[in-house]
Amino acid sequence: MSKKDENGGGLSEEALQELVAASDSGARSPAGAVGRMLAVVALVWSLFQVLLASPLANYVLPGDIVNNSRQIHLAFAMFLAYTAYPALASSPRRYIPVHDWVLAGAGALISLYGYFFYDKIVQSGGLADDVDKWFALAGLILLFEAARRALGPAMAIVATVFLAYVFFGSSEWVPDVIRWKGASLQKAMSHMWITSEGVFGIALGVSTKFVFLFVLFGALLDKAGAGNYFIKMAFGALGHLRGGPAKAAVVGSAATGLISGSSIANVVTTGTFTIPLMRRVGFSNEKAGAVEVASSVNGQIMPPVMGAAAFLMVEYVGISYVEVITHAFLPAAISYIALVYIVHIEAVKNNMPTLGDRTVSLGKTVGGMFGFFAGFAALCYAVQYPVGWVVALVPEGAAWVLALLVGLAYVALLALAAQAPDLEPDDPNSEDVRLPVVSEIYKAGLYYLLPIVVLVYFLMIERKSPGLSAFWATMLMFVILLTQRPIKAMFRGQSEIANAAAAGVLDLVAGLIAGARNMIGIGLATAAAGVIVGTVTLTGIGQVMASLVEFMSGGNLILMLLFVGILSLILGMGLPTTANYIVVSSLMAGVVVQLGAESGLIVPLIAVHLFVFYFGIMADVTPPVGLASFAAAAVSGGDAIRTGFTAFFYSLRTVALPFVFIFNTDLLLIDVTWVQGVTVFIVATIAILVFTSGTMGWFVTRNRIYESVALIAIAFVLFRPDYVMDRMVPPYRQAPPMEIVQTLDAMQVGDELRVVVSGPDFDTFEPKDVSLLLNVEKDAPGAERAERMGFILMPEDGVMKLDQPMFGTPIESDLSGFDFYGDDPVRITQVKVPAEQPPQELVFIPALLLLGGIAYLQLLRQRKQKEVPA
């Protein structure tokens, strides 16, 4: 069979499946007993992870297995990596060579080293002996090779470079700015393999506890048919509009991105259907691929999974999972809205035709989609009330009653689904394209929303852990896969119920196997990324990166953020989303916090982590290593580099948003009320659409240059009203540092005090500044408030000097980088108290008036253009 499809539009279906398999679940599929054995291993891994996440884990599994679950998790990943992924392109695909069996067994056994010798390691305090260090080194080598096979060379190269820095960082050929004292083999191996600081650290723990269940949940949902249902619904709602296939691609990719942990799989899964249809209505190969890339990669920033980064942020930032997805939601949502608008502009600019013969107004379409999502959100929220009534009525048997009610709802929705035919994938290359009718197909898959409601309920309402929430949602998916076929057959009056039940069992087994194989890369990515994290904690390279960025930016805050973004982009090249986030956050998050504080910018840690995450995933788009762009080009038949550059242009709003929410944390819904949150959403949506119009050169009609500049300026004002208002009315008034006690005495509980502390750096002895944002938490005299914050004040000669703060006080860690024992004192140089300021929303009025003026001018110009005879 030809590698190209019949119309020259890209790879054939067989080749595309090979591409997905090679990137996500392993390119090798041996037949016979060996193939069955590998399927059984993957099946056992999934069942083990489900049992580990269940409430019964501590009762059913021995304590040693629960305590060493990370080792077992990695052992499965290592074994399957060597058996499922061939070493080279020329390696056999239909059988497993002997040396790969040896490597698979060795990798699994060495991964379990900590399990087998748990008591010995505990007694030694995690310090490797002569035997341990050689096993650990062998384990790292096997891990890097497994990562190279499953993830490509980038991950293995980056991890190897960091490990080499541990050993050779003290060499003379290493530049002074990043040189460190080096470590012995024994110390490095203890840190990287024997303890939980390296490979078996937080990242692998998150993969073990949370990520596997969510990836498995997504695989089961897709196996049940949800992916096809979401794509059909998107095309039914949007396919008939101008540029409809591209709009449907965006919405379909957003839906599948919710359950997918891979941007490449997302590109190929939805792109095989969307890209040919986009080309049919006038998108070039490169633009069609770029739309799919931009929308698929954006799936990685969309809660709840976020390419597994959401679960890592919980551990790294120290906030709850609900808070992480709350903060991440608004930027992701408005980014998708902007992408839909981008493809709309492309369609209007190029006067693209519509597909199908139906005409439905854009207003009705948008209203219907908004109504669906609003209704679904309301349903997820409202579920708590009947649950509360059931718990109040039957507190002892509430769990059984609720399970029965969910079962009844499921059967009722299946009865509805049985009234419609099962949805089959469409052929995008068919001469006669018939778009699905939403009113006819919506009921065929409504029951797919039930496990998502269960997941959201446990996460958002019950506030259960992500792992336990995913467990209950996965249990419901078990039921759906086993029963959907036979129950629908019963409702349709069909006689093949036994065959339908057997097919359901096969679907479940296939979903469990697919979930495990999809986890191979993520498990290895988190393990290999642990080497980078371990290097950062062992060598202190994070502080070096801060110095490097500070030197390159010359202390300019915007330049500093720009350099951090570029470094995050470079560090993320060729890495999967999860590993990508671990690497960039380990190296760059601390840089933004530290240098931001020195520049007077107090940034919440979640904003910093989202900043580096956004830039890290852009590496999937950006040439020369943009993996998603290469996958899209393989589907479309376009040029990969041009596809990548076009996708990057379409993703400009994803690049701009991190800079916005670093300075305006309202976009992350931090410390905002419901009313403020709704206002922020509306204004941010308008701002992102205006920004898109400015960068795309089209608003009502084609922009003139000054109109594009004005639109971008309007977007900036809408995103950053504080910037304009602060220049008209300063938000803080200066108080004399010598009067800090009197200032604190006059402040109310809940007020914020900004203090700038200056003094010599503990390491370099160079002068530096650190800004502190302090909350007045208790009604007490000023002296007591200062003491509670950690200030040990020593006024002398008109200077408010400071002594080293007491351990455990709020400012202790912030001031730990100062040298309190040198000749130059550490002192307070500025005290800023909040000042009365008009509402910053007032600046929206002139901005929106200017926007209306531009729209009016363009309408007049458009009218004149239409009046000119052809």
Side-chain angles (χ1 to χ4, degrees), residues 67-120:
N67 292 337
N68 292 281
S69 56
R70 297 179 189 183
Q71 283 85 349
I72 296 170
H73 183 79
L74 182 58
F76 274 113
M78 291 271 267
F79 182 84
L80 289 172
Y82 281 107
T83 51
Y85 290 89
L88 301 168
S90 58
S91 299
R93 297 290 197 275
R94 298 302 175 193
Y95 70 92
I96 302 171
V98 174
H99 61 269
D100 277 353
W101 282 114
V102 173
L103 292 172
L109 289 172
I110 297 179
S111 297
L112 294 169
Y113 189 82
Y115 172 68
F116 293 137
F117 299 100
Y118 182 76
D119 293 336
K120 171 190 169 186

Side-chain angles (χ1 to χ4, degrees), residues 408-493:
L408 291 173
Y410 168 58
V411 172
L413 291 171
L414 269 184
L416 191 66
Q419 297 173 15
D422 291 335
L423 301 178
E424 299 294 335
D426 293 320
D427 179 9
N429 296 311
S430 170
E431 289 186 12
D432 182 22
V433 177
R434 295 191 176 274
L435 295 174
V437 180
V438 171
S439 60
E440 296 175 2
I441 67 167
Y442 79 95
K443 53 189 176 184
L446 277 179
Y447 63 95
Y448 295 134
L449 301 179
L450 202 56
I452 300 175
V453 171
V454 169
L455 177 65
V456 172
Y457 171 77
F458 276 106
L459 281 173
M460 306 294 289
I461 308 299
E462 288 285 337
R463 299 295 178 99
K464 300 295 185 186
S465 73
L468 188 60
S469 302
F471 168 77
W472 288 117
T474 302
M475 286 296 97
L476 183 52
M477 284 308 308
F478 276 34
V479 173
I480 289 174
L481 280 163
L482 288 172
T483 62
Q484 63 172 349
R485 288 176 183 267
I487 293 178
K488 280 198 283 189
M490 287 172 58
F491 280 124
R492 289 167 178 165

